[in-house]
Amino acid sequence: MSENEHPELSRRDFLNEITLGALGIAGLGGAALTYQYFSPNVLFEPSTTFRAGSPDLYPVNSVTFMQEQQVYIVRTTDGFFAVSAVCTHLGCVTQWKPDADMIACPCHGSKFHADGKKIEGPAPRPLPHYAINLTADGELQVDKLQAIKADQVLRV
Ligand code: FES
């Protein structure tokens, strides 16, 4: 084996290589920070309007919890309404208790009827109702930005 096949690095070459490597790493870090700085810092929130499917999915006299939306779709003999599942006390997510025929808050014990009216507990207000209507293609649609009076029912 000759010396030309594996030339030894001089101390100066070695230090130059180390310096170039360090500068390269610092440059990549700086580029990453610059990219992050100029990227839009946007929080995407879920839509406040959602489709709840065909009315046929809901039996008469049923309460269906839409977990992702935190809304109850309630169907009575009169029609449909959508009730918030978020407790008006401190914002815990309530639970429908079919055996007791009521909505209960696990945090401090507020209880509500299926139509959102308060039965007992520290909640200061009933659970709000949201606008519910039928889309052109016949599906239920709820708008959580639009609170409506509790006596408004969607008749289907
Ligand atoms: S958050 Fe529901 S009773 Fe307190």
Side-chain angles (χ1 to χ4, degrees):
M1 184 182 334
S2 72
E3 283 187 28
N4 289 340
E5 288 180 23
H6 298 286
E8 301 266 334
L9 279 176
S10 71
R11 180 185 162 113
R12 174 174 292 181
D13 290 341
F14 176 74
L15 290 176
N16 283 342
E17 297 281 329
I18 293 288
T19 303
L20 284 174
L23 286 174
I25 290 170
L28 285 175
L33 285 175
T34 303
Y35 175 77
Q36 190 177 16
Y37 178 78
F38 285 110
S39 297
N41 198 6
V42 177
L43 178 65
F44 293 100
E45 301 218 354
S47 172
T48 57
T49 301
F50 69 93
R51 285 175 170 245
S54 166
D56 297 337
L57 296 172
Y58 303 89
V60 175
N61 294 324
S62 67
V63 176
T64 305
F65 179 48
M66 312 295 282
Q67 184 168 4
E68 194 172 311
Q69 302 294 338
Q70 299 185 345
V71 167
Y72 297 106
I73 304 292
V74 182
R75 183 173 193 180
T76 67
T77 51
D78 291 336
F80 286 88
F81 47 88
V83 178
S84 170
V86 179
C87 183
T88 55
H89 181 220
L90 293 178
C92 289
V93 177
T94 59
Q95 298 165 348
W96 168 241
K97 303 287 186 188
D99 296 340
D101 194 31
M102 68 176 181
I103 296 167
C105 180
C107 293
H108 312 102
S110 287
K111 295 181 172 97
F112 307 86
H113 292 290
D115 65 0
K117 286 192 190 110
K118 185 178 132 182
I119 300 170
E120 65 181 36
R125 293 177 307 282
L127 300 173
H129 285 217
Y130 296 132
I132 183 168
N133 53 46
L134 275 183
T135 62
D137 57 353
E139 289 196 352
L140 296 170
Q141 181 171 283
V142 177
D143 182 355
K144 294 196 294 182
L145 268 188
Q146 197 179 342
I148 61 171
K149 289 183 179 174
D151 59 357
Q152 290 180 288
V153 175
L154 172 67
R155 298 181 205 288
V156 176

